[in-house]
Amino acid sequence: IVQALNFACGIIIIRTLSKQEYAYFTLANTMQAAMNTLADSGISSGLSAIGGRVWQNPYRFGQLINTAMYLRRYLAVIATVVVTPILFWMLVQNGASISYTIIIIGGILLELYFYLKISVLSTVLRLHMQIKHIQRLALAGASSRLTILGTLFNVLNVGVAVFSSTIASWIQAMVLTSWVEDRIDTKAPINQDDRQQILKIIGSQLPNSIYFCVQGQLAVFLISIFGSTQNLADIGALTRLGVIFAIITSVMTEIILPSFSRCQIPNILFRKYLQILALYSLFSITLVGIAFVFPSQFLWVLGGKYSNLQEEVFLLVINLVMQATLNLTWSLNSSKGWILSGWLAIPTGIITQIILFMLLDISTIKGVFLLNTLSTLPGFLLYFYMAYSGFMSIINENT
């Protein structure tokens, strides 16, 4: 139900906004995602790795949560200073007025503030396996956003779309704060040991966060610079179909990954690792097959403005499958702290992309999707090596 509501929100925005307006919305979402990635930079990994050991102690868990909150706010300030000027330039460069740009950026920064609290406090519900609360929280956000969009449908523009999400995040933050108060000691001081462990993870993961911040938004960056505003809207609309992954991804994030991070028995951990990847791969292969056979049905939900993108939608689904599976592999590794060799993804990824830049036409949607898809291949090899090293370290510790 939650994912259906989110999908409905996305379709309302896609079908209502002009291609010019939807191009602005795509840029806003892209740069907000970049801010969120930079504001995390390994903090979620630290929360999962340390929280899996201390979640039953309210005082220690409270120390960990407050430590993570402090560090995340610090990184959010840096992310805001770095990303905001880039977003301002990109919006103006694509035709937005200065006043309109300021409104859009204001909504994004306000939501970033609420999202910081949501991302940290949600760990409490996940590790306590409070599935009903997690569902209700997501339902509150999705339903409130849809209500706002439906109420203001006749005056819907990018500003309304952005602030509808901001208000939904504010509601979620308030509800979540009240729910976690009886599970952690909210007054617990910052723990220096936790701080040092998280900083160590941040130090090892920050280069990757910066790299994947660019990598994850590469399609929009390239089309914004080398393509047209129309192509930018097409990219944004097509990537909305990624909501198909939302159901299985939310189950992975809210239920399966916390269970995986709590597991400390090597043979069970290894079996869970293989089972999770096998399940996700089966879902992905099925989705690619459906997109190949029924591309028009995928595009129908986006509206007539995007009906000419049949070849692109198939390439998009392949790209989404590869990116989502790679992200899942990274999440599995990072939930156990197996990321110390993660920096190797940067030189291997850059070398791969330089070669692809010379071979592909990156001013087209097809070229950009091919670039993104092929760029994931070295990452799989690296992440599987990291997982192997992690399993071996656990086995050695136990013996």
Side-chain angles (χ1 to χ4, degrees):
I1 294 174
V2 168
Q3 302 310 329
L5 293 175
N6 285 329
F7 186 68
C9 290
I11 295 306
I12 287 174
I13 295 171
I14 290 172
R15 284 178 169 264
T16 304
L17 298 183
S18 66
K19 279 201 169 184
Q20 182 77 22
E21 285 268 306
Y22 197 73
Y24 302 154
F25 185 74
T26 299
L27 287 173
N29 272 348
T30 299
M31 301 310 286
Q32 185 182 51
M35 289 183 189
N36 287 333
T37 300
L38 292 175
D40 185 89
S41 296
I43 293 177
S44 294
S45 300
L47 275 171
S48 295
I50 303 171
R53 301 191 299 265
V54 306
W55 64 276
Q56 292 175 305
N57 185 327
Y59 178 77
R60 276 292 292 117
F61 204 8
Q63 285 185 314
L64 175 62
I65 292 297
N66 289 336
T67 302
M69 192 79 74
Y70 167 79
L71 292 173
R72 182 128 202 201
R73 286 171 179 162
Y74 181 80
L75 290 179
V77 172
I78 298 175
T80 300
V81 171
V82 172
V83 176
T84 300
I86 299 174
L87 175 57
F88 186 92
W89 175 80
M90 293 178 76
L91 286 169
V92 173
Q93 182 75 10
N94 282 275
S97 66
I98 293 179
S99 59
Y100 204 21
T101 298
I102 292 173
I103 291 173
I104 294 171
I105 292 177
I108 286 173
L109 295 181
L110 191 58
E111 184 176 19
L112 177 66
Y113 171 78
F114 297 129
Y115 188 75
L116 295 178
K117 182 174 289 189
I118 295 170
S119 62
V120 174
L121 294 182
S122 293
T123 305
V124 179
L125 298 185
R126 293 191 190 108
L127 290 178
H128 279 273
M129 300 301 290
Q130 297 291 312
I131 308 303
K132 288 185 179 180
H133 279 62
I134 292 171
Q135 291 172 332
R136 290 169 184 166
L137 185 68
L139 183 61
S143 58
S144 58
R145 186 182 181 211
L146 183 60
T147 300
I148 296 169
L149 290 174
T151 303
L152 302 177
F153 179 79
N154 292 328
V155 293
L156 183 59
N157 58 21
V158 180
V160 173
V162 168
F163 274 94
S164 67
S165 182
T166 301
I167 294 171
S169 294
W170 169 62
I171 293 172
Q172 285 181 300
M174 289 195 302
V175 172
L176 183 56
T177 300
S178 66
W179 280 349
V180 303
E181 287 179 346
D182 61 343
R183 293 176 174 84
I184 61 171
D185 184 348
T186 58
K187 305 295 185 181
I190 291 174
N191 184 285
Q192 292 302 319
D193 288 337
D194 290 346
R195 180 175 178 273
Q196 291 303 317
Q197 289 186 58
I198 295 175
L199 285 175
K200 184 178 179 181
I201 293 175
I202 291 174
S204 64
Q205 193 166 325
L206 183 58
N208 274 326
S209 297
I210 296 172
Y211 172 71
F212 286 113
C213 179
V214 176
Q215 174 68 23
Q217 321 304 330
L218 190 60
V220 172
F221 289 154
L222 292 176
I223 287 295
S224 176
I225 296 172
F226 298 105
S228 65
T229 303
Q230 298 296 309
N231 284 344
L232 181 58
D234 290 340
I235 285 272
L238 285 171
T239 52
R240 274 288 167 176
L241 294 174
V243 74
I244 298 168
F245 282 92
I247 295 177
I248 191 168
T249 300
S250 63
V251 172
M252 292 288 180
T253 302
E254 309 295 352
I255 302 173
I256 296 178
L257 284 178
S259 174
F260 182 80
S261 66
R262 287 167 55 174
C263 181
Q264 306 295 327
I265 304 173
N267 60 333
I268 297 178
L269 194 66
F270 182 69
R271 186 170 67 248
K272 286 191 175 196
Y273 190 91
L274 294 181
Q275 288 172 339
I276 292 170
L277 287 179
L279 174 65
Y280 208 81
S281 299
L282 178 62
F283 172 81
S284 300
I285 292 171
T286 303
L287 190 61
V288 170
I290 294 173
F292 179 75
V293 178
F294 304 108
S296 299
Q297 284 72 16
F298 272 80
L299 292 171
W300 175 81
V301 298
L302 301 180
K305 298 190 292 288
Y306 305 97
S307 60
N308 62 318
L309 302 173
Q310 292 197 12
E311 182 180 4
E312 288 81 358
V313 76
F314 176 62
L315 292 174
L316 165 77
V317 173
I318 295 176
N319 179 39
L320 289 174
V321 162
M322 297 292 285
Q323 294 284 352
T325 307
L326 186 67
N327 290 339
L328 174 64
T329 309
W330 171 265
S331 297
L332 288 170
N333 291 348
S334 63
S335 70
K336 302 300 292 185
W338 302 338
I339 56 175
L340 295 181
S341 301
W343 64 271
L344 291 172
I346 299 175
T348 55
I350 291 175
I351 292 172
T352 303
Q353 287 172 350
I354 290 174
I355 296 172
L356 293 173
F357 275 135
M358 295 186 291
L359 299 176
L360 300 172
D361 181 5
I362 57 173
S363 65
T364 65
I365 298 175
K366 179 180 178 181
V368 169
F369 283 161
L370 285 172
L371 173 69
N372 273 357
T373 300
L374 296 174
S375 297
T376 62
L377 298 179
F380 280 106
L381 297 176
L382 176 62
Y383 293 168
F384 288 143
Y385 168 75
M386 291 163 57
Y388 170 78
S389 300
F391 281 118
M392 293 304 297
S393 65
I394 291 180
I395 293 172
N396 291 335
E397 287 176 4
N398 288 348
T399 55

